[in-house]
Amino acid sequence: MSDDEDILYVKKQKTLHYGSLEEQERLRLSALPPAAPTSTVISADSDGEGEPPPPVTVPAPETGHVNISDEYMELEEEMNRDRQALLEEFERRKRARQINVSTDDEEVKRNLRQLGEPICLFGEGPADRRSRLRDLLARLGEDAIKKKQEEEEERMQQEKDQETTWYHEGPEALKISRMWIAKYSLPRAKARLEQARKEKEVADATRTARRQELQKKLQALSIYCSQIGDTRPISYCQFSPDSKMLATASWSGLCKLWSVPNCELLKTLRGHNCNVGAIVFHPKAMEDETTVCALASCAADGTVKLWNLESEEPLADVEGHAPHRVSRLAFHPSGRFLGTCCFDNSWRLWDLEQCQEVLHQEGHCKPVYCISYQIDGSVCATGGLDAFGRVWDLRTGRCIMFIEGHLKAIYGIDFSPNGYHIATGSEDNSCKIWDLRRRACLYTVPAHMNLLSEVKYQKGTGQFLVTASYDNTAKVWSNKTWQPMRTLSGHDGKVMCVDVSPDSQFIATSSYDRTFKLWAPE
């Protein structure tokens, strides 16, 4: 046996020290024997005379620099926390493997969109997308998509509830007015339908010949007369029912009556103190001499005044709009009612026989700018600065059509004499034609290079449409094909209003250049 076999190697055990370093240092120092702060050392050398050398003082060694801290590291707690996170991750992956995700990539994208996540990441394929959706569902819960759908349905229901029409009890005067309008409009609607049936029986060749003759007249339109109407822009113009007078409204606060076709000043109506928005004739102003009220006007300060043809002073004031601006107003075809558009986001219906407001109708979310009545008198249409229009049944108070399609504010609206077509002019430079029967837009006319300030149908037959614009022109459009027939150029400023005479002989335009012009075939 060799000597190497007798050697036993013992592995030194590692010693683990627990506790505070401060405590260990204190124990070590207490175990040391007490030592003097200084020690004297005597040299062994001498100078030969027997006298010892002086003692040398040597300082005692310092105990050393020890960093002392009160911070403790809870190793067990950290390990437990990491272990818990690891277990949760394993559980999540286990749940993810058990979740069924559709293999249809479109459905996966739709589910990601419902969860508010991007439907595609850079370099991500369908398989990666499915894995991402599976991980999301494992983290949010397998029913996360269903919850999102329920939340979306609840939100849509809340929005729908907000759009619900609210009804409240109206006064007795409103009931009287609605009954009267129903009795007035039904016979007129019957007569209009009879006339439409008779018109349908006319031979196609005859209708085509009439249309061609009208087109020749329209293409020959030119300036017949031009007149300076005021010292400030002329905001509105309208022909009288017999086509022998023209009423103009100005920003100076004056309203004037002019003869047609000579354009001579007949009367100046003084009563407004600020910009006049519109002046309109009573439908029976020239037919019936017993009519007390012949005209109505409105202004930016909220005043509405009634006039007769004998006096230059207002006959009466319609109060209730101030301080909100009244932009437009219109008489009901019967002449009994007056509709006013107010900048408090509502329009009003006034019964001139009962001498009171019978309807204060809300529905627009921005100021109501324009109003037009159907020829029967059963419904009316309003356009607002919220880019929407509404058609109201005056017999029931319901909104029977919502006009949605314009991108900007609606500044002009007019009913066709056929009773079911509506034209709207907007700030988005377009004119749209709507069908009340289909409750849809029939055609969009890209009419002008600037906003449209007014649209008017030809009275009586409605075979053409006239639009006025801030691009300093007015245009005439055919009814069937919506082709431009004539551009009326001549104003130096934006055209603020246009009107067609009831006998279809003249077209009147009023402008920012303080003039109004009459247009007639050469």
Side-chain angles (χ1 to χ4, degrees):
M1 183 178 267
S2 64
D3 296 337
D4 295 338
E5 293 179 0
D6 297 334
I7 301 173
L8 295 176
Y9 294 95
V10 180
K11 188 176 180 181
K12 186 179 180 180
Q13 296 293 328
K14 290 184 179 179
T15 304
L16 297 179
H17 300 278
Y18 295 96
S20 169
L21 293 176
E22 180 185 6
E23 184 66 26
Q24 291 180 12
E25 186 67 16
R26 189 179 296 113
L27 292 174
R28 188 182 69 82
L29 292 176
S30 62
L32 292 176
T38 59
S39 60
T40 302
V41 179
I42 301 174
S43 177
D45 297 332
S46 63
D47 57 357
E49 296 180 358
E51 294 180 4
V56 180
T57 303
V58 179
E62 297 181 359
T63 58
H65 299 287
V66 178
N67 294 324
I68 299 173
S69 173
D70 294 333
E71 183 178 358
Y72 293 89
M73 296 183 66
E74 300 293 342
L75 300 178
E76 196 68 26
E77 184 179 347
E78 287 292 331
M79 292 175 63
N80 289 338
R81 193 176 301 147
D82 294 342
R83 190 181 297 111
Q84 184 67 25
L86 195 60
L87 290 175
E88 289 179 358
E89 178 66 17
F90 285 146
E91 285 294 326
R92 188 188 65 78
R93 292 183 182 182
K94 182 180 178 182
R95 288 197 305 270
R97 287 193 298 270
Q98 294 174 350
I99 292 176
N100 295 322
V101 178
S102 173
T103 56
D104 184 5
D105 194 43
E106 292 299 325
E107 186 176 350
V108 171
K109 290 180 179 179
R110 190 161 53 249
N111 292 338
L112 286 170
R113 178 64 70 201
Q114 288 175 346
L115 292 174
E117 295 289 331
I119 62 173
C120 185
L121 299 179
F122 181 75
E124 186 181 54
D128 299 330
R129 196 174 297 115
R130 288 183 65 233
S131 299
R132 183 157 60 92
L133 177 60
R134 185 180 287 110
D135 292 340
L136 285 170
L137 293 177
R139 187 166 60 250
L140 300 176
E142 195 170 355
D143 58 346
I145 297 176
K146 186 176 180 181
K147 288 181 180 178
K148 285 283 185 180
Q149 290 177 346
E150 292 176 354
E151 290 176 4
E152 185 68 18
E153 290 176 0
E154 185 178 354
R155 187 181 63 82
M156 294 292 291
Q157 185 63 35
Q158 288 178 355
E159 291 181 358
K160 190 175 180 180
D161 292 342
Q162 291 177 358
E163 296 176 359
T164 303
T165 304
W166 296 92
Y167 296 95
H168 58 86
E169 187 175 355
E172 184 66 23
L174 177 61
K175 181 180 178 181
I176 295 172
S177 300
R178 284 179 173 166
M179 292 293 293
W180 192 92
I181 290 173
K183 292 177 181 177
Y184 173 84
S185 63
L186 290 174
R188 287 173 64 90
K190 184 178 180 181
R192 175 175 59 82
L193 293 175
E194 286 293 333
Q195 182 64 29
R197 293 188 186 98
K198 289 180 182 178
E199 186 68 24
K200 191 175 180 181
E201 294 174 359
V202 176
D204 292 341
T206 305
R207 284 205 296 268
T208 304
R210 289 178 186 172
R211 192 178 302 113
Q212 290 177 347
E213 183 181 355
L214 178 63
Q215 288 179 356
K216 288 181 181 179
K217 289 178 63 177
L218 294 176
Q219 290 171 352
L221 282 172
S222 62
I223 295 178
Y224 180 87
C225 178
S226 180
Q227 179 67 276
I228 297 176
D230 207 298
T231 57
R232 295 206 64 194
I234 299 177
S235 57
Y236 202 83
C237 62
Q238 190 182 54
F239 284 100
S240 62
D242 61 357
S243 303
K244 295 181 179 179
M245 293 174 65
L246 180 73
T248 60
S250 169
W251 282 7
S252 66
L254 299 177
C255 299
K256 298 183 179 181
L257 300 180
W258 307 82
S259 64
V260 176
N262 298 326
C263 294
E264 296 177 354
L265 181 62
L266 300 177
K267 195 180 295 292
T268 301
L269 307 178
R270 309 173 189 274
H272 291 288
N273 299 320
C274 62
N275 302 4
V276 181
I279 182 168
V280 293
F281 276 95
H282 191 282
K284 300 177 181 177
M286 305 299 176
E287 302 172 8
D288 192 355
E289 302 218 352
T290 61
T291 303
V292 177
C293 172
L295 297 122
S297 62
C298 62
D301 59 357
T303 56
V304 176
K305 297 183 183 293
L306 306 179
W307 312 81
N308 58 22
L309 296 176
E310 283 75 31
S311 174
E312 295 185 353
E313 297 297 323
L315 186 67
D317 286 359
V318 179
E319 299 177 348
H321 305 92
H324 302 286
R325 173 186 172 188
V326 180
S327 54
R328 293 285 188 267
L329 74 171
F331 276 105
H332 188 266
S334 66
R336 173 174 172 173
F337 302 96
L338 178 69
T340 56
C341 300
C342 191
F343 266 45
D344 64 352
N345 306 355
S346 70
W347 65 276
R348 324 283 181 90
L349 186 67
W350 304 81
D351 190 335
L352 301 182
E353 286 191 9
Q354 298 186 72
C355 299
Q356 62 175 313
E357 175 190 297
V358 293
L359 181 63
H360 183 159
Q361 183 65 59
E362 298 177 343
H364 291 269
C365 60
K366 284 188 177 180
V368 183
Y369 194 86
C370 47
I371 185 171
S372 176
Y373 289 96
Q374 189 202 31
I375 190 171
D376 301 338
S378 56
V379 300
C380 77
T382 57
L385 302 187
D386 54 2
F388 300 125
R390 289 180 179 269
V391 181
W392 308 88
D393 190 340
L394 298 176
R395 300 162 297 186
T396 62
R398 291 177 178 270
C399 175
I400 59 175
M401 180 179 174
F402 184 64
I403 298 174
E404 181 181 12
H406 282 293
L407 303 178
K408 294 185 179 180
I410 296 176
Y411 287 128
I413 194 166
D414 194 34
F415 260 103
S416 170
N418 62 21
Y420 51 85
H421 282 165
I422 306 169
T424 56
S426 170
E427 191 182 353
D428 61 9
N429 308 349
S430 69
C431 173
K432 288 183 181 289
I433 312 300
W434 308 83
D435 194 326
L436 187 58
R437 301 168 301 179
R438 300 181 185 176
R439 300 187 184 183
C441 179
L442 286 182
Y443 195 79
T444 299
V445 184
H448 290 271
M449 300 298 292
N450 208 331
L451 67 85
L452 272 71
S453 54
E454 188 63 278
V455 291
K456 288 287 184 181
Y457 270 102
Q458 176 203 17
K459 296 177 175 64
T461 58
Q463 292 185 2
F464 64 88
L465 177 75
V466 187
T467 60
S469 171
Y470 274 22
D471 63 2
N472 302 359
T473 64
K475 293 185 180 181
V476 184
W477 310 82
S478 65
N479 188 357
K480 297 293 182 183
T481 60
W482 308 113
Q483 297 298 315
M485 306 300 299
R486 183 71 170 168
T487 299
L488 309 180
S489 302
H491 283 289
D492 296 330
K494 30 196 182 182
V495 182
M496 304 182 75
C497 190
V498 67
D499 194 32
V500 183
S501 63
D503 59 5
S504 301
Q505 296 299 313
F506 295 98
I507 294 176
T509 55
S510 64
S511 171
Y512 195 82
D513 62 9
R514 301 167 299 154
T515 67
F516 69 90
K517 300 181 187 297
L518 292 183
W519 307 77
E522 293 179 350

